[in-house]
Amino acid sequence: MSGRPRVNPEQVVALTQELVRIPSHNPPGGEERCARYLSWWLEDHGISSQVIPVAPDRANVLARIPGEGRRPGVLLCGHLDTVPISDEMWLCDPFSGEVRDGRLYGLGASDMKGGIAAMACAMAAIMALGESLAGDLVMALTADEEDTCLGAREIVSRGLLPTGLGSLVIAEPTGLQVASCHKGALWLELEVRGKASHAAMPDLGVNAVSHMAQLIGAVERYRLPCPHHRLLGSATLAVTTVKGGLKVNIIPDFCRATVDVRTVPGCLHSDLLVGLERLLDEFKSHASEVEVGTLVLKDYPAVDTSVDALLISAALDAVRIARPGAESNFIPEPCGMPYYTDASILAPATGLPVVLCGPGEPEQAHHAGEWVDTVKLAQATSFYVQLVRSLLL
């Protein structure tokens, strides 16, 4: 390569601000406006892109800088939606994109409009050189990652990605640490049906809430059939919501609870569900007076890439170049992330190795007063540029 792409720190900050100012909180989503703005921005920088509707007022963006096909291509990926606005007090307008003391504030600043802005600016910097890439550079920006991964599923089901890709890079908030893996998620709903009666005559009813309390205890004692992972640790199970009953003076005839299971690589969700079904069968054998049902709400597998993979070593090299003099808590080796991402949909469908690295801080995701460090925005842009250079030039 004869030149070096020039990263413009003001450009990535400005683009992040523009994206934060476009509401796309999910629900309801409304990512189409954000998608159209990004598509226009990319086209304005000479990058071919298309807006792909996935539902009313919801859309993905696919952008591509074609390569010569001599090397496997690189897929950059991020999501356009954010979580809803928290009821907690914000330091500033969540759609302002205000910059204070080196932090850019706003809903989605960290998770992950800062990340997708950095990816877009990296593509623009590479495009500006006019050099030929050895493989395709593709960016997929998706709708609905925060709920059902509708956008990623649409990409897979419609076969929208070009062939010949070799790497998947996700801009989720990692504090610019290189993550080679993330946990999976299995969300369940439990339901207990009993019989209503006047609370003054409880013997005439069957208390669904009381039975659910017993069931929750049994579920919390369930030992997950999952191995320990050296970067992600152990799988976890948490009962997160309980809803039941109508009034204080009525014995409740129904109760529902949700369970959030976070799994690690090597933990098959099918095995986990079989074990939970056995537990429920055992419970029902001692509580025949109630009906018990289960519903799988989400089923996203964990993602794991070998720490020895070329993509991981290239990412570690790229982040060292992008972050000279990084702060003392920077870990120059692969780590794991506890959340799930679109990679749970895209990686199994494509077989691509995955790396997660973005400018946002993990603890800022879904947090009132969300912010992203403006220095890390520029460093993230440099990171994506360096990684693409090592893989495609």
Side-chain angles (χ1 to χ4, degrees):
M1 183 175 182
S2 59
R4 290 176 64 90
R6 298 184 62 183
V7 172
N8 183 339
E10 290 77 20
Q11 181 188 54
V12 67
V13 169
L15 181 55
T16 303
Q17 287 178 307
E18 290 301 320
L19 296 179
V20 166
R21 290 165 183 161
I22 302 173
S24 57
H25 44 286
N26 185 13
E31 298 94 338
E32 184 174 3
R33 184 181 164 202
C34 198
R36 293 198 178 280
Y37 180 85
L38 273 163
S39 180
W40 166 83
W41 191 96
L42 291 163
E43 293 280 352
D44 194 51
H45 288 80
I47 301 166
S48 175
S49 71
Q50 56 181 321
V51 175
I52 303 171
V54 298
D57 202 30
R58 314 194 75 174
N60 293 338
V61 177
L62 276 180
R64 177 172 173 256
I65 300 176
E68 296 178 346
R70 293 184 286 108
R71 291 188 187 178
V74 174
L75 174 60
L76 307 177
C77 184
H79 62 84
L80 299 167
D81 60 327
T82 73
V83 294
I85 304 172
S86 169
D87 291 333
E88 297 178 52
M89 185 66 69
W90 280 69
L91 295 175
C92 57
D93 183 339
F95 300 111
S96 67
E98 181 178 339
V99 176
R100 295 186 192 177
D101 301 321
R103 293 177 174 180
L104 192 160
Y105 289 86
L107 185 63
S110 184
D111 185 20
M112 56 185 293
K113 291 185 175 180
I116 61 179
M119 282 185 164
C121 289
M123 289 189 76
I126 291 168
M127 188 70 185
L129 281 180
E131 299 278 345
S132 295
L133 301 179
D136 286 351
L137 176 58
V138 180
M139 183 164 64
L141 305 176
T142 63
D144 196 48
E145 188 269 355
E146 296 288 0
D147 189 9
T148 67
C149 294
L150 175 65
R153 295 180 191 279
E154 189 78 2
I155 287 171
V156 169
S157 65
R158 292 175 56 183
L160 296 176
L161 295 176
T163 59
L165 296 174
S167 304
L168 172 57
V169 184
I170 305 278
E172 287 284 355
T174 68
L176 280 182
Q177 302 284 159
V178 172
S180 61
C181 54
H182 70 65
K183 285 189 172 182
L186 182 64
W187 291 6
L188 307 171
E189 182 181 79
L190 308 176
E191 181 179 84
V192 173
R193 285 281 176 181
K195 179 182 178 182
S197 72
H198 197 294
M201 296 171 282
D203 55 308
L204 299 181
V206 177
N207 195 315
V209 170
S210 296
H211 282 83
M212 178 63 82
Q214 298 173 41
L215 178 57
I216 287 173
V219 169
E220 290 182 329
R221 291 188 296 271
Y222 175 64
R223 297 190 61 171
L224 297 170
C226 300
H228 186 272
H229 191 272
R230 75 179 191 90
L231 294 180
L232 294 169
S234 301
T236 61
L237 180 152
V239 177
T240 51
T241 68
V242 180
K243 299 177 182 178
L246 294 173
K247 292 180 65 179
V248 174
N249 61 345
I250 299 177
I251 295 298
D253 63 345
F254 75 94
C255 188
R256 297 185 185 91
T258 54
V259 181
D260 184 321
V261 184
R262 299 294 166 138
T263 58
V264 296
C267 181
L268 295 178
H269 290 193
S270 57
D271 291 346
L272 195 154
L273 288 170
V274 168
L276 284 172
E277 283 297 329
R278 290 198 189 104
L279 181 153
L280 292 176
D281 288 343
E282 174 67 16
F283 176 80
K284 286 185 283 189
S285 70
H286 296 94
S288 58
E289 67 272 28
V290 296
E291 296 180 3
V292 180
T294 60
L295 178 66
V296 176
L297 302 177
K298 287 189 178 183
D299 186 353
Y300 299 155
V303 170
D304 196 11
T305 298
S306 169
V307 295
D308 298 320
L310 171 63
L311 174 60
I312 303 303
S313 60
L316 289 169
D317 289 341
V319 84
R320 291 188 191 101
I321 294 171
R323 302 189 67 186
E327 63 272 18
S328 59
N329 66 351
F330 171 64
I331 305 172
E333 60 184 40
C335 63
M337 290 293 149
Y339 47 68
Y340 70 86
T341 76
D342 275 335
S344 291
I345 307 301
L346 297 173
T350 62
L352 295 176
V354 180
V355 67
L356 286 75
C357 191
E361 305 298 333
E363 63 269 19
Q364 283 297 312
H366 306 186
H367 186 270
E370 185 178 353
W371 54 265
V372 65
D373 187 294
T374 56
V375 172
K376 283 187 178 177
L377 285 174
Q379 291 175 337
T381 307
S382 295
F383 164 75
Y384 299 128
V385 168
Q386 295 295 335
L387 182 57
V388 170
R389 288 185 64 187
S390 67
L391 295 173
L392 296 183
L393 293 170

